[in-house]
Amino acid sequence: TAGAAAPPLSPGDFRELFDSVDAFLFDCDGVIWKGDKLIDGVSQTLDFLRSKGKKLVFVTNNSTKSRKEFAKKFGSLGISVSEDEIFSSSFAAAMYLKVNDFPLDKKVYVIGGEGIIDELQLAGYTGLGGPEDGKKTAEWKSNCLFEHDKSVGAVVVGLDPFINYYKLQYGTLCIRENPGCLFIATNQDAVGHMTDLQEWPGAGCMVAAICGSTQKEPIVVGKPSTFMMEFLLKKFQIDCPRMCMVGDRLDSDILFGQNAGCKTLLVLSGVTTLSALQDPANDIQPDYYTNKVSDFLDLLGA
Ligand code: PLP
Ligand code: CA
C-alpha cells in the first residue's frame, strides 16, 4: 500500500487482529525493554495474552547473549519466558550452520560476544576468537606471518565491543584464504541500546569492517532476513497469516514480518517516531501502529 500511512490501532482493529492470530512475535529492545529497563505494562500484557491462549515468541537481533542468558534477563525483569520461546541472532547463527550441514570438524571464528560462542557450542561447534581475542594485539614484522587456523570454515560477526585489529586480521584471513569459508552476520543493526538512555554503534559497523576488508557480502541470519522466520515456523507449525509481528523498527521488524506474510504492528516505544513513520520518504508501512504493547489491555477493555 505505497503512499498510505499506517493507521493507529483502534479498539475495533485490535479485536479483529486479536481474533485472527494465534501467535504474537515480539521484538525485544524497544518493545519489551529498553536497554536494561522493562517498558511499562509489558508484564501484565504478556500474562493477559497467555491467559487467552496466544503463543508468544521473542525475536531479537541482539547477539550478545545466548537464549539461556536472555531467559535469565526476562526472569530478572519479572517475566517468565522459556528458552525455546526465544530466537536471538546468536542462536540463528548456530542454526544456520546446522541447517546447512556445516561439518562438525570445521571451526568457526567469532568476532562478537559470548552469546555466539555459547550457542555454537550448544550446537556442537567449536568457536574460536570472541571475547578471548579481545586482549590480543596484531603484530607485523618483516619475514613474519600472522598465523590463522586453516580449519576455520565460517566467520560469524556480531556486535563486538572489544573488536580490534587482531580480530579483523584473523577474520579477514579466514574468509580470504580458507577455501569456501562462510561469512555470516548475526545482524546489521546500525545502532543498539546498551542502556535505556543512549544508542551505541550496532553490529552493522563490525560487519561493515569485514565487508570492507574482504570485499564480500555476508549471509545475514537476523531480522529482516527470513532465515529465523523459516526456522521458527518449522518449530511451531504456525501459519504466517495467523501471526502478528510487533516491533519498533521498520527496516528490521516490520520488514521481517511482511517478508513472511505476517500481520505487522509498529510500537512507538522504541526507535521509530510517528514523524518517521509518516515521512513520505518511508516506504515500509506496518498494518497498524500504537504507542506501546500495554495499549492492548486498554484496547480490549481488559
Ligand atoms: N544488537 C544489540 C547489541 C543491541 O544492544 C540491540 C538492542 O539493544 C539490538 C541488537 C537490537 O535488538 P532487538 O532486535 O531486540 O531490538
Ligand atoms: Ca527493536
Side-chain angles (χ1 to χ4, degrees):
T1 53
L9 189 64
S10 70
D13 296 331
F14 188 59
R15 169 50 67 187
E16 201 181 304
L17 180 70
F18 187 80
D19 289 340
S20 67
V21 302
D22 303 319
F24 284 90
L25 268 55
F26 290 102
D27 163 48
C28 293
D29 194 79
V31 175
I32 303 296
W33 55 63
K34 208 164 197 175
D36 45 8
K37 292 219 168 63
L38 192 65
I39 292 173
D40 271 356
V42 163
S43 184
Q44 299 87 315
T45 311
L46 298 182
D47 285 347
F48 172 78
L49 294 175
R50 283 198 200 277
S51 77
K52 297 292 172 190
K54 301 299 178 190
K55 169 98 201 118
L56 308 183
V57 183
F58 301 88
V59 189
T60 178
N61 264 359
N62 190 333
S63 67
T64 62
K65 291 180 167 64
S66 60
R67 286 163 303 150
K68 189 173 175 185
E69 292 301 315
F70 275 116
K72 278 192 204 159
K73 175 170 179 171
F74 275 101
S76 73
L77 294 171
I79 305 174
S80 167
V81 168
S82 80
E83 268 174 59
D84 44 67
E85 293 171 315
I86 301 169
F87 289 79
S88 59
S89 63
S90 52
F91 176 56
M95 287 307 103
Y96 182 87
L97 295 173
K98 197 158 190 173
V99 165
N100 289 285
D101 297 321
F102 184 77
L104 287 165
D105 58 345
K106 291 226 171 196
K107 296 185 188 119
V108 183
Y109 188 72
V110 177
I111 298 178
E114 207 67 64
I116 301 170
I117 302 267
D118 289 350
E119 290 293 355
L120 287 172
Q121 193 181 0
L122 283 169
Y125 296 115
T126 308
L128 305 177
E132 210 176 286
D133 282 359
K135 291 195 182 74
K136 293 185 183 164
T137 49
E139 288 187 50
W140 48 91
K141 295 188 207 120
S142 57
N143 301 320
C144 191
L145 281 178
F146 183 103
E147 297 288 343
H148 75 285
D149 191 326
K150 305 289 189 295
S151 70
V152 169
V155 174
V156 176
V157 185
L159 181 92
D160 191 341
F162 304 103
I163 193 163
N164 57 29
Y165 207 47
Y166 178 95
K167 295 186 193 183
L168 291 173
Q169 168 69 333
Y170 206 109
T172 300
L173 285 179
C174 292
I175 293 170
R176 294 184 64 153
E177 295 185 3
N178 293 2
C181 183
L182 302 172
F183 170 21
I184 297 170
T186 57
N187 63 305
Q188 288 185 298
D189 291 39
V191 292
H193 278 108
M194 307 298 274
T195 69
D196 60 327
L197 291 179
Q198 211 173 26
E199 289 175 346
W200 289 69
C205 83
M206 286 86 194
V207 173
I210 297 295
C211 291
S213 59
T214 61
Q215 296 293 297
K216 290 208 168 131
E217 286 303 312
I219 298 159
V220 183
V221 292
K223 298 171 289 183
S225 132
T226 52
F227 174 73
M228 258 204 286
M229 185 66 89
E230 284 160 22
F231 191 76
L232 75 88
L233 288 179
K234 262 182 230 145
K235 178 157 175 170
F236 294 121
Q237 320 252 304
I238 321 173
D239 278 349
C240 288
R242 293 199 62 84
M243 301 198 299
C244 178
M245 175 70 204
V246 183
D248 73 321
R249 289 186 75 111
L250 297 164
D251 60 356
S252 54
D253 307 317
I254 301 306
L255 206 52
F256 175 70
Q258 285 177 346
N259 283 343
C262 298
K263 303 200 165 62
T264 55
L265 173 67
L266 181 81
V267 286
L268 301 176
S269 51
V271 300
T272 308
T273 59
L274 186 56
S275 57
L277 174 68
Q278 295 175 339
D279 185 331
N282 166 40
D283 55 5
I284 305 171
Q285 291 293 334
D287 294 327
Y288 305 102
Y289 75 87
T290 195
N291 286 320
K292 53 190 187 309
V293 290
S294 62
D295 293 348
F296 289 6
L297 300 176
D298 299 332
L299 289 163
L300 287 183

